[in-house]
Amino acid sequence: MFYGELAENKGEIRIPDVEPAAFLAMLKYIYCDEIDLSADTVLATLYAAKKYIVPHLARACVNFLETSLSAKNACVLLSQSCLFEEPELTQRCWEVIDAQAELALRSEGFCDIDAPTLESILRRETLNAKELVVFEAALCWAEAECQRKDMALSIGNKRKVLGQAVYLIRIPAMALDDFANGAAQSGVLTLGETNDIFLWYTAAKKPELRFASEPRRGLSPQRCHRFQSCAYRSNQWRYRGRCDSIQFAVDKRVFIAGFGLYGSSCGSAEYSARVELKRQGVPLGHNLTKYFSDGSSSTFPVWFEYPVQIEPDTFYTASVVLDGSELSYFGQEGVTEVQCGKVTFQFQCSSDSTNGTGVQGGQIPELIFYA
C-alpha cells in the first residue's frame, strides 16, 4: 500500500474493514512483538492478522479463542472458524456443541449465526440434545433472522427465513407429547405437515415425510472406573448425609456428564444423590436426583443437568452426598492413574471427603464423560 508498483497514490489510506482496536493490536505485535488480546477484539484481530498475513498473531488469536471456548460462544466461533479456515478451532467448536448441545442451542450466540452454520448444526448427527430443544432453537434463530432482514415477526416469515432448513429438524423423533404441545402448535408447520406427522405417530400405515424420523445418534458416554474390585461390610459403610469426594485431573479436555455410584448391599433400595463438580472451590455443575439400586454390585449412573467442560492439567473435585440405604457396596484397590482411550485420569484424595472415600477405596467409582 505504501511502496512499489501497487502503492496507493493518496496521502491517507482508509481501511474500513478492520476495527481500529484490532489494527492497533496488529501494529503492536509487528513493531513491539507484544500480543495484546481481549475477548472483545480477538475476532477482529484474527481477521486483520489473516488479511495482512501475520501467521504468528493469527495462531495466538486462535489459541485465545480455544481457551475461552464455551457453550455460550461455540456456535458463533464455529461460524467464524469456518470463515477464517481454521480447522482445529472448527473441530473444537464441534466438540463443545456436540457435548453441551442444549446449552449451546439455548445460548444468545446461537441466534447470531448465519444460515449455512445453522444448517450444518441442524444436520449434526452427534448433537446431545432433545429434538424439541433443536426445534425451539431454530425458531429463536428465525425470529432473529427476521429482525436482521427487517421483516415482520410473523409465523409465515419465520418459516420463510428457515427455508429448507426446517426439514433438517427431526420432528418425528420427538416424543409425541413434545410434538403435540410444541411443534404442532407453533404454526411453523403447515396443516398438511402437522396432520401427516400425527398420522406417522399413530397410524399403522405411515405417510411419507420430508422430515427424518430417526433420532440423532448423539455421543456415546465413556466410563473411567478407578477401582479394581468392590466389596461390602455388614455395618461399616454408611452415609447419613456425609460427603464422599475425590479429586481428579485429565491430560485432555473432556466433558463430565455424571458419576457411576454404588448402591445397596442388602437388597434393592432408592437413593437420593446430590452430586457436584468444583474447580478450586467454585461449583461448575450440580444436580439433586434419585437412582434405584437393585442390590447388585453394579454401578448406577447419576447425571448432571448438563455435561461440564473439564480442562487438562487442573484438579477438579467430584462430590456426592447420598441419602438412602445405610449399607452399601464400596470400591477397593483404587489406582491413582487410569487410561481411558486417549484420556489419562489422575486421582488424589479430597479434603471435602468426610465419609472415608479416597483414592484407595470408597464411593464415586466411575466418572462418566464425553471425550
Side-chain angles (χ1 to χ4, degrees), residues 70-197:
S70 70
K72 293 181 179 179
N73 61 13
C75 295
V76 171
L77 291 184
L78 174 68
S79 177
Q80 297 296 325
S81 67
C82 295
L83 176 66
F84 293 135
E85 298 181 337
E86 288 290 342
E88 290 183 13
L89 180 57
T90 299
Q91 179 59 32
R92 279 286 299 114
C93 290
W94 278 125
E95 290 172 5
V96 173
I97 293 169
D98 281 342
Q100 298 180 303
E102 294 197 357
L103 283 175
L105 293 171
R106 286 171 169 152
S107 67
E108 291 183 11
F110 179 79
C111 294
D112 296 331
I113 62 178
D114 55 25
T117 304
L118 172 73
E119 292 184 13
S120 68
I121 292 174
L122 295 183
R123 284 194 184 95
R124 192 75 173 169
E125 181 70 28
T126 44
L127 286 181
N128 266 1
K130 294 179 181 177
E131 207 61 31
L132 178 62
V133 176
V134 177
F135 179 79
E136 291 172 344
L139 287 190
C140 289
W141 180 89
E143 183 173 322
E145 184 73 354
C146 285
Q147 293 174 336
R148 284 189 286 268
K149 293 186 173 182
D150 292 324
M151 299 168 66
L153 293 179
S154 66
I155 295 297
N157 282 340
K158 289 181 184 180
R159 176 64 186 256
K160 184 176 181 180
V161 297
L162 280 172
Q164 297 300 305
V166 73
Y167 297 113
L168 300 175
I169 306 170
R170 304 184 184 191
I171 293 176
M174 293 181 186
L176 178 56
D177 286 351
D178 287 344
F179 172 69
N181 297 317
Q185 298 187 45
S186 67
V188 171
L189 304 178
T190 67
L191 191 59
E193 288 168 344
T194 303
N195 183 66
D196 283 349
I197 294 172

Side-chain angles (χ1 to χ4, degrees), residues 49-310:
K50 288 279 188 175
K51 177 179 179 180
Y52 293 105
I53 316 176
V54 189
H56 185 71
L57 179 60
R59 185 69 248 166
C61 291
V62 171
N63 290 340
F64 183 96
L65 290 169
E66 286 184 350
T67 57
S68 61
L69 182 60
S70 70
K72 293 181 179 179
N73 61 13
C75 295
V76 171
L77 291 184
L78 174 68
S79 177
Q80 297 296 325
S81 67
C82 295
L83 176 66
F84 293 135
E85 298 181 337
E86 288 290 342
E88 290 183 13
L89 180 57
T90 299
Q91 179 59 32
R92 279 286 299 114
C93 290
W94 278 125
E95 290 172 5
V96 173
I97 293 169
D98 281 342
Q100 298 180 303
E102 294 197 357
L103 283 175
L105 293 171
R106 286 171 169 152
S107 67
E108 291 183 11
F110 179 79
C111 294
D112 296 331
I113 62 178
D114 55 25
T117 304
L118 172 73
E119 292 184 13
S120 68
I121 292 174
L122 295 183
R123 284 194 184 95
R124 192 75 173 169
E125 181 70 28
T126 44
L127 286 181
N128 266 1
K130 294 179 181 177
E131 207 61 31
L132 178 62
V133 176
V134 177
F135 179 79
E136 291 172 344
L139 287 190
C140 289
W141 180 89
E143 183 173 322
E145 184 73 354
C146 285
Q147 293 174 336
R148 284 189 286 268
K149 293 186 173 182
D150 292 324
M151 299 168 66
L153 293 179
S154 66
I155 295 297
N157 282 340
K158 289 181 184 180
R159 176 64 186 256
K160 184 176 181 180
V161 297
L162 280 172
Q164 297 300 305
V166 73
Y167 297 113
L168 300 175
I169 306 170
R170 304 184 184 191
I171 293 176
M174 293 181 186
L176 178 56
D177 286 351
D178 287 344
F179 172 69
N181 297 317
Q185 298 187 45
S186 67
V188 171
L189 304 178
T190 67
L191 191 59
E193 288 168 344
T194 303
N195 183 66
D196 283 349
I197 294 172
F198 267 122
L199 288 175
W200 189 91
Y201 278 112
T202 56
K205 185 178 180 181
K206 300 184 184 300
E208 289 188 9
L209 301 174
R210 295 185 66 180
F211 300 90
S213 58
E214 287 294 318
R216 297 175 197 271
R217 186 174 74 249
L219 294 176
S220 298
Q222 301 180 50
R223 294 180 180 237
C224 172
H225 196 92
R226 65 188 190 92
F227 295 127
Q228 299 180 65
S229 64
C230 69
Y232 66 91
R233 300 186 185 122
S234 60
N235 61 357
Q236 292 187 27
W237 199 270
R238 300 172 180 269
Y239 295 111
R240 295 178 181 172
R242 292 190 290 262
C243 179
D244 287 288
S245 185
I246 192 72
Q247 288 193 324
F248 71 94
V250 292
D251 64 341
K252 293 181 177 62
R253 185 180 289 108
V254 299
F255 299 86
I256 297 294
F259 304 151
L261 301 177
Y262 289 123
S264 170
S265 60
C266 52
S268 60
E270 186 179 64
Y271 284 88
S272 172
R274 187 169 77 245
V275 292
E276 186 177 52
L277 262 180
K278 294 190 295 186
R279 179 181 179 179
Q280 297 177 344
V282 178
L284 303 176
H286 59 85
N287 199 12
L288 179 60
T289 186
K290 295 180 183 293
Y291 69 96
F292 181 78
S293 162
D294 61 7
S296 71
S297 60
S298 303
T299 58
F300 303 93
V302 175
W303 306 93
F304 289 103
E305 185 177 5
Y306 302 107
V308 179
Q309 182 169 298
I310 301 298

